[in-house]
Amino acid sequence: MQTKIVLDESRIPTHWYNIIPDMPGPLAPVINPRNLQPVTPDDLLPIFPMAIIEQEVSGERWIPIPEEVREIYRLWRPSPLYRAHRLEQALGTPAKIYYKYEGVSPAGSHKPNTAIPQAWYNRQAGIRRLATETGAGQWGSSLALACSMFGLECTVYMVKVSCTQKPYRKSMMQLWGANVIPSPSEFTNAGRSILAHDPDSNGSLGIAISEAVEDAASRADTNYALGSVLNHVCLHQTIIGQEAREQLALAGDYPDVVIACCGGGSNFAGTAFPFLADRAAGKNVRCLAVEPASCPTLTKGIYAFDYGDTAKMAPIAMMYTLGHDFMPPGIHAGGLRYHGESPLVSQLHHAGLIEAKSYRQTACFEAAHLFARHEGIVPAPESSHAVRAAIDEAVIAKEEGKEKTILFCLSGHGQLDMVAYDAYLSGGLEDVEYPEEMIRESLAKLPKVEL
Amino acid sequence: MQTKIVLDESRIPTHWYNIIPDMPGPLAPVINPRNLQPVTPDDLLPIFPMAIIEQEVSGERWIPIPEEVREIYRLWRPSPLYRAHRLEQALGTPAKIYYKYEGVSPAGSHKPNTAIPQAWYNRQAGIRRLATETGAGQWGSSLALACSMFGLECTVYMVKVSCTQKPYRKSMMQLWGANVIPSPSEFTNAGRSILAHDPDSNGSLGIAISEAVEDAASRADTNYALGSVLNHVCLHQTIIGQEAREQLALAGDYPDVVIACCGGGSNFAGTAFPFLADRAAGKNVRCLAVEPASCPTLTKGIYAFDYGDTAKMAPIAMMYTLGHDFMPPGIHAGGLRYHGESPLVSQLHHAGLIEAKSYRQTACFEAAHLFARHEGIVPAPESSHAVRAAIDEAVIAKEEGKEKTILFCLSGHGQLDMVAYDAYLSGGLEDVEYPEEMIRESLAKLPKVEL
């Protein structure tokens, strides 16, 4: 039985799919946090190259992928599409379960799909150095890899507590040549002001963002790069869905439902957007974003203008949010702990064009365990949310006695997350309750934007 | 430029290549350590299924791969063959460097290539449970994966000190359902006798082998499985070289030199044997086994009868050896710290049909670092030995101004070995001197076999 569909590297997509011209209405403006007015390209030029700024607002449906970027993509793309025969048998489901596996990249996740073009456009613009932040390290390691490929310097402000809790990804960044700085640091005003009040601060993603943006804004040779949320990041990830679509066609199939985990939104966007585009051609595909119950942005947040970061330095966007100072409880899927959501994904959800669902982490680890026992691959804790939802869809198909084709994105492997599996296997995994009160409090602090 | 050559899963080899009929002479007998007489199949039946025993001595050149085994191989095979364009450019070499990447398996190394058929043949023989030993965990995790795929129980005696030093691979084994027992344990006579003398023993691979063999020999439902050295293990790995051969042909190429790291020998055997077979057709390919300077079995050992393990429980084989109680200095390439060598690889080396070379670990990590910066993938410390040798061949080609085609096997990724890279990056890597005195002492204790 065919288990995986591989494509020759000549079939790496030549264009990214830009969903902006196909959105159900105009995009809401992005707001400058300093003057509460719409952001202009000039506001962004200190930290982004013009090519990226153009992609952020482009009305072109297909944006060509530079040949130099496709050259690097060849190191792991096209990624394989698997049919989960063994999982299907274990579930006794009539459903067909396919998964697109992005863990084959050198960094082990989908993040290099956007790190590579971001590094490339910056180098083309004469930038010699990129600054970014990272929590658990998936994004930081991907940008370090990308900078190594194009000979750029890379500085990663890594949340201090993660430096000690996730030393492996820190080492990978260093091996790829990045300068990893525990945040808060003495290198920025933002870092120094935190340390002045709290010399032992463990740091947070919000602080690390502030440090990286300040670093980029204050040096002419340096720009900033972000691993999710923004339109251009979602755009770069659309190679996932495009490849999956072609691979499914080779298998003579088309999905009834497309599933991906959703933190900042780029993994979901990259997987689902190319299928959403098929709706115009009458295809009736459901798209399901899966998030943790402890950080339920789409399922429990509101659609409103909010800051992108805790420190109110990042632009204000119209999006689903739990409030910019919402601090989600600690869960192992660190990549899904963002208070906001990609504005594109948010608008589609608000328009009722996509679905969202949340799960507690134990249910996700149970699903990942079943998956690993039958399919071999150990899923990343983030990806385990998509595994859970896919299994539940397959079980529903069994109960209804219906054939159904399910596609999900296995966005990364979990070989560097075995501490989380240890906690699960030893019964020591805490299932965080939905933090209702916290969300209510943080939602009371949204900015007032009047246009 | 074509970077990787992928094959559709229909091209997974249908047969393993058995080199025994093509060896330069008859195989030396394997000796029973209890009576110093040649081992009979009856000696082996308590711990191996007959299908495996037959493969160990088979004179058939091609042995069919069971369809059920190929079905599991599809989860990651055929593995990709890469052309290292970016590394070539960095070296400025006229040589073409190809690498076959075995890190795509769910366990991250080539070991599942043999774990899967071993589990299958045991299940076919009615065995319900397998016992094995593991050091750093590459083999233990691969057998745990294989047992999970076929619904067998799996018990892994893991060297106690590795349980705490390599907790990630222990967790992977447990996730795949294996029972991981720190060795020495209270579960076997071998373990109890060690603990009686030294309750705080850190364990060793030799002790763990003794425990696993005793466990298997004492239970009718249980067999033993070994991850390297033996003929059938080398046999199963030949899918590596067969696939690489076909992929190179698609690229219109054929290697001048084939390189693989060499511990127990199965990775080297699997990569090189299918190319050695081409010599009969007049192909003039060099095959180079690369080992650590701290455990230089082929380059500094002698060709003699020796025990397979420290405890003198395992069979005695004619092989290159440093002496069965040689304890190699601690290096990060744990998979290459075996005192002996596959009898097949040994015989080929003794006949002058293959080459061997040894490197100190700093030189290997330097090569792996260069590789990761240009090719992205982080090599396993074991595989870094092959990377080093391939780079040196490419540099020689540059000096000689010769075109040359180099193939090496990148047998695993190093994402679970970042502690080793940390030591390298921080300058804290110790370069172990060639332990001449130790080798002389241990070589004085070889068994006297008279046939």
Side-chain angles (χ1 to χ4, degrees), chain B residues 246-268:
Chain B
E246 179 172 350
Q247 288 163 315
L248 280 169
L250 285 175
D253 236 323
Y254 191 84
D256 296 297
V257 57
V258 175
I259 299 168
C261 66
C262 199
S266 70
N267 170 55
F268 173 77

Side-chain angles (χ1 to χ4, degrees), chain B residues 198-239:
Chain B
D198 180 6
D200 298 323
S201 166
N202 274 330
S204 72
L205 204 55
I207 298 168
I209 292 175
S210 303
E211 289 207 274
V213 170
E214 181 186 327
D215 179 323
S218 60
R219 285 182 56 166
D221 68 345
T222 302
N223 267 347
Y224 172 71
L226 190 72
S228 192
V229 181
L230 298 182
N231 299 352
H232 69 274
V233 181
C234 295
L235 172 76
H236 298 157
Q237 294 292 356
T238 59
I239 48 180

Side-chain angles (χ1 to χ4, degrees), chain A residues 26-56:
Chain A
L27 305 191
V30 174
I31 306 298
N32 187 323
R34 286 194 297 281
N35 57 18
L36 297 189
Q37 292 301 307
V39 159
T40 65
D42 281 354
D43 292 338
L44 299 175
L45 266 177
I47 59 168
F48 290 121
M50 187 51 83
I52 293 283
I53 296 171
E54 284 169 2
Q55 289 184 356
E56 193 61 22

Side-chain angles (χ1 to χ4, degrees), chain A residues 1-9 12 71-78 82-83 85-86 99 101 104-108 145 147-150 152 165 167-178 365 368-369 371-379 413 415-419 421-422 424-425, chain B residues 1-9 12 71-78 82-83 85-86 99 101 104-108 145 147-150 152 165 167-178 365 368-369 371-379 413 415-419 421-422 424-425:
Chain A
M1 285 189 297
Q2 186 167 30
T3 294
K4 65 184 181 317
I5 298 116
V6 294
L7 296 176
D8 186 78
E9 61 188 32
I12 294 170
E71 202 60 55
I72 308 293
Y73 279 168
R74 289 166 189 254
L75 290 173
W76 72 94
R77 305 209 70 87
Y82 283 88
R83 170 88 184 269
H85 290 296
R86 302 177 55 82
Y99 57 98
Y101 183 40
V104 290
S105 82
L145 168 72
C147 287
S148 183
M149 294 289 126
F150 290 123
L152 293 172
Q165 286 179 351
Y168 279 26
R169 286 214 178 84
K170 183 185 72 170
S171 310
M172 282 172 65
M173 290 183 245
Q174 291 171 329
L175 191 66
W176 283 319
F365 277 99
H369 190 192
F371 184 86
R373 289 298 297 267
H374 293 284
E375 296 291 319
I377 299 167
V378 178
H413 70 65
Q415 293 194 11
L416 293 178
D417 303 280
M418 296 313 298
V419 170
Y421 280 99
D422 263 352
Y424 159 72
L425 288 170
Chain B
M1 285 191 298
Q2 186 167 31
T3 295
K4 64 183 182 318
I5 297 117
V6 294
L7 296 175
D8 186 79
E9 61 188 33
I12 294 170
E71 201 61 56
I72 307 292
Y73 279 168
R74 290 166 189 253
L75 290 173
W76 73 94
R77 302 210 71 85
Y82 284 86
R83 170 89 184 269
H85 290 297
R86 302 176 55 81
Y99 56 99
Y101 183 40
V104 292
S105 83
L145 168 73
C147 287
S148 183
M149 294 289 127
F150 289 124
L152 293 172
Q165 286 179 351
Y168 279 26
R169 286 216 178 85
K170 183 185 71 172
S171 310
M172 281 172 65
M173 289 183 245
Q174 292 171 327
L175 190 67
W176 283 319
F365 278 99
H369 191 192
F371 184 86
R373 289 298 297 268
H374 293 283
E375 296 291 319
I377 299 168
V378 178
H413 70 65
Q415 293 195 11
L416 294 178
D417 303 281
M418 296 313 299
V419 170
Y421 280 99
D422 263 354
Y424 160 72
L425 288 170

Side-chain angles (χ1 to χ4, degrees), chain A residues 115-116 118-119 130-132 138-148 154-156 225:
Chain A
I116 299 294
Q118 288 193 54
L130 288 179
T132 197
Q138 283 109 331
W139 167 244
S141 57
S142 300
L143 193 68
L145 168 72
C147 287
S148 183
C154 183
T155 290
V156 181

